[in-house]
Amino acid sequence: MNTFNSAWMNEDLAIFRDAAARFIDTQMVPHDAAWRAQQHVGREIWRKAGELGLLCTDVSAEYGGGGGDFRHEAVLYEELGRRGLSGFGQGVHSICAHYLVNHGTDEQRRRFLPRMASGELIGAIGMTEPAAGSDLQGIRTRAIRDGDHYVINGSKIFITNGYLSGLIALVVKTSPSEGAKGTSIIMVETAALNGFRVGRILDKMGMKAQDTAELFFEDVRVPAANLLGGAEGQGFYQLMSDLPYERALIAVAAVAAMEGAVAQTLQYVKQRKAFGKTIAEFQNTKFKLAELATKTRIARIFVDDCIAKIVAGTLDTVSASMAKYWVTDTQQEVLDECVQLHGGYGYMNEYLVCRMFADARVQRIYGGTNEIMKEVISRSL
Ligand SMILES: Cc1cc2nc3c(=O)[nH]c(=O)nc-3n(C[C@H](O)[C@H](O)[C@H](O)COP(=O)(O)OP(=O)(O)OC[C@H]3O[C@@H](n4cnc5c(N)ncnc54)[C@H](O)[C@@H]3O)c2cc1C
């Protein structure tokens, strides 16, 4: 679908891409409509993806992962993104795994990562609360130490994979009076966990197959051994240091959606007719498509640079924030034009560009809003 050859691709990655694309076309695309209707993907698709080696691709084989790097993650995200498959929360799963890789103790990595790689444990990240999103220092969920356990009380909202998740990287206050320094991350295994409850799967504008949910914790007891990294008060540092990874993943998904939408639109305007010719023959269509292709190419080159830097371990927070903000804003512009070129059909959910347009909106909101990205960028200037 993509005609641009990224410099980071190679023969091995092309084989991996083919396998991922085949899996997605045969195991996911046929179920997407049913998944959207039920507001979540099937649990079994996670197991199947795990069996095929599509989960935790950039986690070391020592911990059950694929032993690859960020390029493998990017390939999978691209193949999903170009097809508008936003229900399968592989990105958040990988971000959750990376908290363990980068900050977990060896015992925690061994306990959780192999089960995440197999799809037995689906990962989620629990930061946002009803009263605290951008301003994470305002979270109220508390984890108070009681012997060998933490006792957790509070609630989270808008949690991706919230319904299916078996492991939540939960951001809590371990010292409520201390602000950022009192924040920690606790890995919460949800199976048969007393006091833990998944609330509604939220009814969203787009991403209809994604089980974004509310989570409630009432005197939930979690072993103290699940405190990420084993030391309290590290939560903010852990969150901040993994932001480039998360923001790069969002930018990858954004450019992939643009590529998929432009390809789909090109096909559509070549066969749809009005006034005795195809829509593609109008000068307005040609110029619009030229603009869309150019914006998509610029985004691709920026994202490719981020991918190469993540692999080299040199992607900084400011560049990742620039990519997240600019590529997702541009994604929205491109999708809007793709819908326009489809006419009324572009407003119908059975058309890919319609679903992609609705999905695109939240890309500017989650992972840190684009306004927060500009805050981060401006501080560096
Ligand atoms: C579909 C979806 C999936 C999500 N998945 C997850 C998840 O898996 N885990 C998770 O923890 N969270 C998740 N979120 C939450 C998401 O990260 C937050 O919604 C986001 O960070 C914004 O927080 P908020 O909604 O509280 O908005 P607010 O923080 O209330 O912001 C409202 C508006 O004010 C602006 N604003 C706030 N502060 C400033 C400032 N300093 N300067 C300028 N403008 C500002 C914002 O940019 C925004 O436009 C998800 C959200 C959605 C919709």
Side-chain angles (χ1 to χ4, degrees):
M1 267 194 249
N2 183 19
T3 50
F4 182 72
N5 288 320
S6 293
W8 52 267
M9 279 296 294
N10 61 27
E11 224 172 284
D12 285 350
L13 286 161
I15 293 168
F16 178 71
R17 187 184 289 284
D18 281 348
R22 244 192 333 273
F23 177 78
I24 290 168
D25 282 334
T26 57
Q27 307 284 330
M28 291 190 173
V29 172
H31 302 292
D32 189 45
W35 287 345
R36 279 186 275 126
Q38 71 181 17
Q39 294 182 291
H40 60 87
V41 303
R43 198 177 283 281
E44 70 291 344
I45 198 65
W46 283 91
R47 288 290 205 158
K48 287 183 183 170
E51 276 165 27
L52 205 69
L54 297 178
L55 299 177
C56 300
T57 58
D58 58 353
V59 170
S60 147
E62 190 190 347
Y63 299 116
D69 59 39
F70 187 74
R71 295 172 303 172
H72 295 84
E73 290 291 300
V75 163
L76 182 54
Y77 232 42
E78 285 176 3
E79 294 306 311
L80 291 166
R82 285 174 195 160
R83 291 165 178 79
L85 295 171
S86 53
F88 186 63
Q90 173 254 347
V92 161
H93 182 76
S94 295
I95 295 163
C96 179
H98 270 258
Y99 283 124
L100 286 160
V101 169
N102 294 332
H103 310 291
T105 62
D106 198 51
E107 183 277 324
Q108 289 169 342
R109 291 185 199 131
R110 289 185 195 287
R111 189 147 49 102
F112 297 123
L113 286 171
R115 287 186 288 151
M116 292 188 79
S118 72
E120 178 193 334
L121 273 186
I122 300 166
I125 305 162
M127 294 188 260
T128 307
E129 299 184 359
S134 303
D135 184 10
L136 262 189
Q137 294 203 28
I139 63 161
R140 291 185 191 150
T141 298
R142 291 174 177 217
I144 303 302
R145 183 81 186 239
D146 179 26
D148 288 343
H149 286 79
Y150 282 99
V151 180
I152 302 177
N153 279 287
S155 69
K156 298 287 174 180
I157 196 165
F158 305 147
I159 305 307
T160 299
N161 296 344
Y163 173 70
L164 291 173
S165 172
L167 184 69
I168 306 163
L170 191 72
V171 182
V172 295
K173 282 273 172 74
T174 38
S175 300
S177 57
E178 279 195 70
K181 283 187 188 147
T183 305
S184 303
I185 299 179
I186 296 183
M187 304 306 296
V188 178
E189 258 200 85
T190 60
L193 186 65
N194 284 334
F196 169 74
R197 185 166 65 81
V198 179
R200 290 175 299 153
I201 298 184
L202 299 161
D203 180 19
K204 304 185 293 299
M205 177 193 292
M207 298 183 69
K208 295 286 188 185
Q210 168 47 231
D211 52 310
T212 315
E214 290 175 300
L215 307 177
F216 297 96
F217 302 83
E218 216 179 304
D219 291 330
V220 170
R221 293 181 74 82
V222 175
N226 289 18
L227 176 68
L228 186 66
E232 286 187 8
Q234 297 299 305
F236 251 83
Y237 156 74
Q238 291 163 343
L239 288 171
M240 294 302 134
S241 73
D242 280 26
L243 286 179
Y245 184 91
E246 174 172 353
R247 290 174 185 167
L249 267 183
I250 293 174
V252 168
V255 74
M258 286 153 69
E259 288 164 350
V262 171
Q264 186 72 51
T265 304
L266 206 55
Q267 242 179 26
Y268 182 81
V269 297
K270 282 180 183 167
Q271 55 82 24
R272 175 79 179 170
K273 290 202 167 119
F275 299 98
K277 47 178 154 178
T278 65
I279 305 290
E281 289 173 86
F282 296 117
Q283 192 185 46
N284 175 65
T285 308
K286 292 182 194 168
F287 283 10
K288 284 291 176 209
L289 284 167
E291 288 169 22
L292 301 185
T294 306
K295 285 180 181 176
T296 303
R297 176 67 60 86
I298 295 169
R300 165 53 65 190
I301 287 167
F302 190 1
V303 168
D304 279 356
D305 184 54
C306 290
I307 292 172
K309 286 193 168 123
I310 284 220
V311 173
T314 57
L315 184 67
D316 60 287
T317 301
V318 171
S319 304
S321 304
M322 287 174 170
K324 194 275 177 185
Y325 129 65
W326 191 83
V327 181
T328 61
D329 269 12
T330 308
Q331 176 190 7
Q332 186 88 60
E333 290 167 22
V334 166
L335 261 302
D336 186 52
E337 287 296 353
C338 289
V339 168
Q340 191 69 18
L341 288 171
H342 274 71
Y345 296 92
Y347 199 67
M348 297 299 129
N349 267 317
E350 65 194 271
Y351 280 76
L352 178 66
V353 293
C354 174
R355 303 193 297 276
M356 282 183 160
F357 174 80
D359 289 355
R361 188 63 188 85
V362 78
Q363 290 261 95
R364 298 165 58 203
I365 296 171
Y366 59 22
T369 67
N370 285 4
E371 290 72 34
I372 295 298
M373 297 304 106
K374 290 177 199 175
E375 263 299 314
V376 171
I377 297 160
S378 67
R379 273 185 228 140
S380 75
L381 300 178

